Amino acid sequence: MGRFDEERRDMVGILKEKGITDEKVLLAMTNVERHLFVNEPFVNRSYEDTALPIEKSQTISQPYTVAFMTQELNPKPGAKILEIGTGSGYQAAILAEMGCRVFTIERHLELLLEARKLFERLGYRIATRGGDGTVGWSEFAPYDGIIVTAAAPDVPDALIRQLAEGGRLVIPVGDLDSQSLLVVTNQDGRLETKEVRGFKFVPLIGKQGWNGK
Ligand code: SAH
């Protein structure tokens, strides 16, 4: 029994109560130890359903947000997934735990290096890259799914271009205070966009993102 096993089970119970139904998502969130992705002094709060601060004024997303976005992404095992905004690495680990081939980009090198160390320690084979993810990662495109974990002013075209036939892009779009979560699907060469709900994310900064340092 690990130190936080009971807390983690309770967190998954809360996710179910809040409407997460995908068993694969719930199982991954039961298996991945979120407290390993959180730093002091917040480790004791790892299983509260809330975003928590990480280095570089960023956050590890709220568990419900991770669960909801992953459920909307609906990746098949073995799916090739691109994540923009590695942050703590928690979302990437959830996808890897579900059997996805994960590619993740982070603009803060310090965060990327920490996440990379953690992936190695936990045995996840996740491809990582430092830089501006608004231009995607063309070398390994197309992707079955793309998940953006920071708030964008618009849907970056590069990400649309790197989406496979039948693929899904999950991205929060809006202003800096509040965003709608969009799910864009590429079906028979036609793009379909649905708005699923409101969320609050840290900004996506880059060429096709917000200005910032
Ligand atoms: N998925 C993360 C959430 C981190 S918050 C987790 O599970 O912890 C979003 C992250 O997106 C931040 O770390 C921020 O630095 C990063 N980010 C913002 N704009 C970016 C861009 N254009 N390219 C790559 N990463 C970006």
Side-chain angles (χ1 to χ4, degrees):
M1 278 273 287
R3 177 173 158 213
F4 288 107
D5 287 357
E6 208 166 306
E7 283 91 335
R8 195 162 52 258
R9 268 199 303 271
D10 291 347
M11 175 191 81
V12 171
I14 288 168
L15 298 177
K16 282 188 200 166
E17 278 170 25
K18 291 187 174 175
I20 302 299
T21 51
D22 187 325
E23 290 296 335
K24 297 186 296 301
V25 173
L26 294 168
L27 183 64
M29 294 193 69
T30 304
N31 290 341
V32 177
E33 299 186 306
R34 187 170 187 256
H35 65 273
L36 302 179
F37 297 81
V38 172
N39 301 316
E40 289 300 353
F42 302 105
V43 174
N44 274 325
R45 300 182 53 195
S46 299
Y47 296 101
E48 290 178 20
D49 188 22
T50 174
L52 293 169
I54 56 174
E55 293 300 307
K56 299 287 168 191
S57 310
Q58 305 302 319
T59 57
I60 175 172
S61 306
Q62 182 182 348
Y64 176 74
T65 304
V66 172
F68 189 86
M69 289 178 83
T70 309
Q71 184 168 280
E72 288 296 330
L73 190 68
N74 192 21
K76 304 284 168 281
K80 201 205 284 183
I81 305 293
L82 175 65
E83 180 197 26
I84 314 301
T86 315
S88 69
Y90 180 67
Q91 171 75 69
I94 293 291
L95 292 165
E97 185 70 29
M98 291 171 74
C100 299
R101 291 153 61 202
V102 184
F103 296 78
T104 183
I105 308 179
E106 170 58 52
R107 58 188 294 274
H108 286 297
L109 231 43
E110 188 182 317
L111 293 177
L112 190 73
L113 292 177
E114 279 306 306
R116 200 186 274 171
K117 271 195 260 171
L118 201 47
F119 297 152
E120 211 160 286
R121 182 177 139 205
L122 299 176
Y124 293 121
R125 291 177 50 181
I126 293 173
T128 58
R129 176 181 186 169
D132 178 5
T134 61
V135 299
W137 194 344
S138 55
E139 204 180 335
F140 298 103
Y143 301 94
D144 303 309
I146 302 180
I147 179 168
V148 180
T149 65
D154 283 300
V155 180
D157 322 321
L159 300 186
I160 297 277
R161 282 198 301 275
Q162 293 176 24
L163 203 55
E165 172 61 40
R168 278 189 181 200
L169 164 64
V170 179
I171 180 170
V173 173
D175 56 33
L176 289 171
D177 298 321
S178 73
Q179 303 89 34
S180 319
L181 190 67
L182 302 186
V183 179
V184 183
T185 47
N186 177 12
Q187 210 53 264
D188 307 319
R190 266 196 32 242
L191 290 180
E192 211 166 275
T193 302
K194 93 176 168 171
E195 184 183 321
V196 279
R197 56 164 294 159
F199 275 109
K200 169 95 180 72
F201 290 81
V202 299
L204 181 74
I205 293 170
K207 240 190 239 172
Q208 294 195 44
W210 301 98
N211 295 323
K213 59 175 174 57

